[in-house]
Amino acid sequence: MADRRASTHSSKRAARKHWSDLTDGQKARVMILGTVQLSLAAFAWTDLATRPKDTVNGSKGMWAAIIAINFVGPVAYFWKGIRR
């Protein structure tokens, strides 16, 4: 039984890709998407920090946590978090 678990675990591990396994094109896409995501988050957090609390729907702490969610968080903040 223990051998079976070790075998299953090692096969899952073998299926994972490492940075060195990616092609140059895949590495470029990961870097671009990461840059876009971090830029969106930084822009949203900066806006949240400088915006008066009465112009934010909900608490600033809640929105700061939501912004940390990949891509969805910053978009949600700009779509629903700002009172217009």
Side-chain angles (χ1 to χ4, degrees), residues 40-41 44 63 66-67 69-81 84:
L40 276 171
W63 281 110
I66 290 172
I67 290 169
I69 301 169
N70 290 345
F71 293 104
V72 176
V75 171
Y77 168 71
F78 287 117
W79 182 38
K80 293 287 186 178
R84 304 212 195 287

Side-chain angles (χ1 to χ4, degrees), residues 42-56 60 67 77-78 82:
F43 185 59
W45 277 317
T46 301
D47 182 82
L48 180 64
T50 58
R51 183 172 296 280
K53 70 179 181 178
D54 61 333
T55 62
V56 175
K60 283 186 161 196
I67 290 169
Y77 168 71
F78 287 117
I82 299 171

Side-chain angles (χ1 to χ4, degrees), residues 14-36:
R16 289 177 56 185
K17 282 193 173 189
H18 297 278
W19 184 256
S20 60
D21 298 331
L22 299 177
T23 66
D24 288 342
Q26 289 171 326
K27 289 177 183 178
R29 283 189 288 277
V30 168
M31 295 299 291
I32 290 167
L33 288 172
T35 301
V36 169

